[in-house]
Amino acid sequence: MKYVKRGSDLLVISEDIFSLAQTLDCGQAFRWEERADGKWHSVVKAVPLTVYETQEGVVFENTDEELFCRVWKDYFDFDTDYGSIRKSFSDDLYLSRAMDFCGGIRLLRQEPWEALCSFIISQNNNIPRIKGIISRLCSAFGDDLGGGDFSFPSAERLAVMEPEELAPLRAGFRAKYIVDAARKVSSGEVPLYSLEKLPLEEGLEALMKIKGVGPKVACCALLYGCGKKDAFPVDVWVKKILAELYPDGFPFGDSPCKGVAQQYLFHYRRFSPDFDENRSEKNEA
DNA sequence: AACCAGGCGCATA
DNA sequence: TATGCGCATGGT
């Protein structure tokens, strides 16, 4: 990965395969918005960003080297070699197909609390509504950064709320889970910011002390928020793929990067026309 | 107008 | 240990 200044912007050139759209819109993060001009916008760690892809590379608007190195290099996981990760899966027929379809995905290193809270909200829910709830959560309780941008509210901020006060989010039964998570994280009862160093099983055990956090949500928090690439969340789509394509068992169950494989398979199963239920009349021709 | 949504907690056996 | 159901709400 290299970068060069372009006025007040930074042009980032990845020698590895990288798709901005696939990465930001594959269901791992819920706060990225594609604008009418094709540029993506979000806020990470209270830093707003507009970013877009060109022939030359990815342009980070209003970003200097210092900011890029402090926030975005880590967030986009640019220090990880996804080429070698993909290569470790390339002998497998279905993962090869999945990677042909969406091999430009990188796993974002999201802020741990935001990831945990987001995937609590995701349970028994659909992506448009998840995004709506999270958007309202930020505008109601995050810091106003101007220009319509808000930070994600901290665990400390939400820990002092009562579930009823979250009613405007229209999160339903999940409101009480958000508050319980905020309290256990801010008190240190769940050491969210130490889980990265712990074995996967210990992280899962700690997170599942939170009401409304089971194996799936805990796995997502560890994978997307704590950089645990060996976490392997199994949702309905991954369950389908395991049953349909790997009836004799998933061959990468011991891979330290099986979470990356999970993300490829999830996106492939949901959106590829290789699967009949995804094929509309239009693209059937 | 039912049915479903990147699940989980609880009751039942 | 294993299933099944209710849960709030909105989109289709």
Side-chain angles (χ1 to χ4, degrees), chain A residues 198-273:
Chain A
L198 266 49
L200 185 64
E201 283 306 322
E202 291 179 35
L204 292 172
E205 192 184 344
L207 287 167
M208 289 193 299
K209 289 194 289 191
I210 298 165
K211 286 178 207 146
V213 175
K216 198 282 182 173
V217 171
C219 264
C220 287
L222 289 169
L223 178 61
Y224 303 118
C226 303
K228 300 289 285 184
K229 289 190 171 59
D230 54 337
F232 189 84
V234 179
D235 75 315
V236 289
W237 297 98
V238 173
K239 200 172 289 180
K240 281 183 196 175
I241 257 215
L242 294 177
E244 292 166 356
L245 305 182
Y246 300 100
D248 300 322
F250 185 58
F252 301 99
D254 293 323
S255 163
C257 293
K258 57 183 177 293
V260 182
Q262 178 272 159
Q263 190 60 45
Y264 296 144
L265 292 172
F266 170 80
H267 196 257
Y268 177 56
R269 183 63 183 80
R270 276 206 77 170
F271 298 112
S272 167

Side-chain angles (χ1 to χ4, degrees), chain A residues 20-85:
Chain A
L20 188 67
Q22 285 175 13
T23 297
L24 301 182
D25 201 27
C26 67
Q28 62 172 324
F30 302 101
R31 278 230 297 157
W32 286 95
E33 204 177 323
E34 187 178 21
R35 294 181 166 170
D37 58 6
K39 297 180 180 181
W40 294 85
H41 185 82
S42 188
V43 176
V44 172
K45 292 177 195 160
V47 180
L49 175 68
T50 300
V51 61
Y52 60 97
E53 207 159 0
T54 69
Q55 291 284 7
E56 291 182 288
V58 180
V59 178
F60 287 66
E61 288 191 349
N62 297 311
T63 302
D64 59 21
E65 294 99 322
E66 186 277 328
L67 180 62
F68 179 75
C69 291
R70 181 161 56 83
V71 176
W72 301 115
K73 190 154 82 68
D74 175 71
Y75 182 76
F76 282 96
D77 202 19
F78 279 128
D79 288 330
T80 296
D81 177 7
Y82 280 77
S84 66
I85 293 176

Side-chain angles (χ1 to χ4, degrees), chain A residues 122-138:
Chain A
S122 79
Q123 64 178 128
N124 188 225
N125 211 341
N126 56 62
I127 288 177
R129 191 161 86 102
I130 295 164
K131 289 180 175 176
I133 293 168
I134 292 173
S135 171
R136 290 188 289 276
L137 176 68
C138 295

